[in-house]
Amino acid sequence: MSQLLRLKMAKQKAEAFLKEEGITRLPVDPFAIAASRDIIVEPKADTSDGVSGMLLRHGDSFGILYATHVQNEGFQRFSIAHELGHFILDGHVDHVLPKDGTHTSHAGFVSADPYELEADHFAAGLLMPSGPFRRAIGRRDPGLAVIEAMAADCRTSLTATAIRYAELCDDAVGVIISTGQRIDYCFLSEAMKSLPELSWLRKGTPVPKGTETARMNGNPDRIMEADRAANEIDVMDWLGGKRSVLITEEVAGLGRYGKTLTVLSSCSIGHEDEIEPGDDEWEMIESWTPRFHR
């Protein structure tokens, strides 16, 4: 079984779990889900940087500790959902915690370990299930505003919500996280991927000069102040290709996280040229290092 398929199945497992539990509304409460399985959840103040949470085992009893060094509710809820993924997904407990002790996690797609990636995808599906998420999107125009609204509805981090939005929306959307003048990762909606001969933005690719993102990233104070900026730009300036389309570039500083979120969006790019995702999609996923901290 391909790893891409396993990740999709992890999301589907989370959504199937919600259906079995009769959970149909947003936000989904990971604390309540843990309590329903007699899993004690507690904060851990002295967790080292990079550690998002821990799954504890003593016989058939389990507990979850979540990191508090990142003061972001969405990140903390995602971390708990990640540990629930280890608890619920087939084979995870036997692999990550076969005996009494503690399993330390690095949630947020910062680990290349397939079990950690599966738990991350489970968390995304659990907190942002496709059915309620799509219904909540409705007919809203694409862009940062709908992502912020969905982050509030789901009580999830802005970046996690942006990525899930790009995955599930019907509009042409690109989500980019960058640090300084380098791109950390990029995720494109299927409608955006329909543009011919795009240049995939891989990890380490320079931020295009003359963009709002480049200007924002050139001023760390704006990032720390969670500043916002928006402008219209040709999609070719960001993604290359052979089709010139005017799109909106919206940029949000992510505060102490030290990064920026860029949302590219357009209502004018149709689906007539939409391509089916294939092996190239997984090649892109492998080249990115997504972080869902904020």
Side-chain angles (χ1 to χ4, degrees), residues 5 11 20 22 47 69 74 118 132 155 211 228 255 274 291:
L5 180 57
K11 283 198 187 86
E20 292 170 1
T47 304
H69 66 276
E118 284 183 29
R155 295 173 65 184
T211 62
R228 299 285 195 273
E274 187 171 332
R291 296 174 174 83

Side-chain angles (χ1 to χ4, degrees), residues 8 19 55 93 95 114 120 123 152-153 225 239 257:
K8 290 182 177 179
K19 185 176 181 180
L55 182 65
V93 168
H95 178 82
D120 279 333
D153 288 348
E225 294 167 1
L239 302 176
Y257 189 27

Side-chain angles (χ1 to χ4, degrees), residues 57-250:
R57 179 177 187 176
H58 182 72
D60 292 330
S61 298
F62 291 84
I64 292 174
L65 299 178
Y66 63 92
T68 57
H69 66 276
V70 176
Q71 295 297 316
N72 182 284
E73 181 192 29
F75 172 71
Q76 293 170 358
R77 286 163 57 86
F78 190 91
S79 300
I80 296 167
H82 174 102
E83 302 305 333
L84 288 172
H86 284 318
F87 180 79
I88 293 172
L89 287 168
D90 294 337
H92 274 235
V93 168
D94 291 338
H95 178 82
V96 304
L97 200 56
K99 299 179 181 179
D100 291 356
T102 302
H103 168 73
T104 300
S105 289
H106 299 76
F109 290 70
V110 296
S111 172
D113 183 278
Y115 285 88
E116 297 303 304
L117 285 172
E118 284 183 29
D120 279 333
H121 281 262
F122 177 94
L126 190 76
L127 299 179
M128 296 171 285
S130 57
F133 197 96
R134 283 193 173 105
R135 287 194 294 272
I137 291 172
R139 296 182 178 277
R140 298 177 182 177
D141 290 336
L144 182 59
V146 65
I147 292 170
E148 290 177 320
M150 292 305 302
D153 288 348
C154 298
R155 295 173 65 184
T156 45
S157 68
L158 194 61
T159 51
T161 310
I163 293 168
R164 190 64 164 151
Y165 177 73
E167 180 181 10
L168 295 176
C169 74
D170 294 326
D171 296 298
V173 172
V175 170
I176 300 153
I177 295 293
S178 58
T179 305
Q181 297 304 321
R182 295 287 172 178
I183 290 169
D184 293 331
Y185 69 93
C186 169
F187 193 95
L188 304 180
S189 69
E190 291 300 319
M192 188 67 87
K193 284 189 282 187
S194 72
L195 291 171
E197 299 187 32
L198 295 181
S199 299
W200 301 115
L201 299 177
R202 300 180 182 274
K203 182 181 179 182
T205 301
V207 173
K209 295 181 180 180
T211 62
E212 287 296 328
T213 303
R215 285 188 281 272
M216 175 84 74
N217 289 1
N219 189 338
D221 289 341
R222 294 182 66 189
I223 298 173
M224 286 294 294
E225 294 167 1
D227 198 7
R228 299 285 195 273
N231 204 352
E232 290 189 327
I233 192 170
D234 194 311
V235 69
M236 296 177 68
D237 292 338
W238 262 105
L239 302 176
K242 292 186 174 181
R243 181 177 172 186
S244 178
V245 180
L246 197 63
I247 62 171
T248 300
E249 176 191 5
E250 298 174 280

